[in-house]
Amino acid sequence: MHLMVKLFLEKDKEFILGPGRIELLRFIRELGSLRKAANSMDMSYRWAWGRINKTQEGVGVKLLDRRQPAARGRSWSLTPEAEQLIEWFSTVEQEISGTLQRLEASMPDFLKGEGVGTDPDSTKKQQRRILD
């Protein structure tokens, strides 16, 4: 078993930032295109643009800058604030991950699969399935 936490930034009971939007921003940075970023994540352009707008409204800053017009379609780059947001979110995720690892180390043995009633053969089978 593993401890899991999903990290989201919330404002007025609305989610404005989470791992998916951070991933979208990273794809935009890499590809220079919201459309290509959305396609890479199997989402529509409209849905992706809506998520970016919702996040911009929530954090109160612009996250995308329009580059010089591309031959076809719009080309985007991230603002310094978007870069800061990605960096900050990654730092928070790393901190939380380290905390979860420390807490897992203190997990009771029966949750680690080493407790009474655990069949060692079934644990090995599960491990093999995960690795396959």
Side-chain angles (χ1 to χ4, degrees):
M1 288 191 202
H2 296 285
L3 290 172
M4 299 294 294
V5 173
K6 288 195 176 198
L7 179 63
F8 294 96
L9 185 61
E10 181 185 289
K11 182 178 180 182
D12 300 327
K13 298 186 180 186
E14 294 224 11
F15 293 114
I16 59 169
L17 185 68
R21 293 185 197 182
I22 292 293
E23 184 179 12
L24 179 59
L25 289 171
R26 286 182 176 138
F27 272 119
I28 293 168
R29 177 177 54 200
E30 178 185 331
L31 302 170
S33 163
L34 179 59
R35 185 170 307 284
K36 289 178 183 175
N39 287 339
S40 294
M41 295 180 68
D42 293 325
M43 65 174 67
S44 73
Y45 175 87
R46 183 180 174 144
W47 179 262
W49 185 240
R51 301 306 93 201
I52 293 295
N53 275 332
K54 196 90 144 154
T55 300
Q56 290 181 138
E57 289 170 10
V59 299
V61 296
K62 221 169 103 174
L63 299 175
L64 301 180
D65 274 332
R66 191 172 300 173
R67 291 185 190 164
Q68 294 296 325
R72 298 184 66 187
R74 293 187 180 130
S75 182
W76 298 97
S77 63
L78 300 185
T79 63
E81 292 84 1
E83 294 288 357
Q84 288 177 328
L85 201 56
I86 291 169
E87 183 66 31
W88 172 77
F89 197 86
S90 297
T91 299
V92 172
E93 282 184 318
Q94 289 171 2
E95 288 288 324
I96 289 172
S97 178
T99 299
L100 290 176
Q101 288 175 2
R102 288 189 298 280
L103 291 170
E104 267 188 32
S106 68
M107 187 181 286
D109 287 344
F110 68 90
L111 292 176
K112 294 178 185 176
E114 300 169 7
V116 177
T118 302
D119 177 8
D121 288 334
S122 75
T123 302
K124 287 178 186 174
K125 288 176 191 173
Q126 286 176 340
Q127 289 171 343
R128 277 195 296 264
R129 272 185 268 160
I130 291 169
L131 295 174
D132 289 342

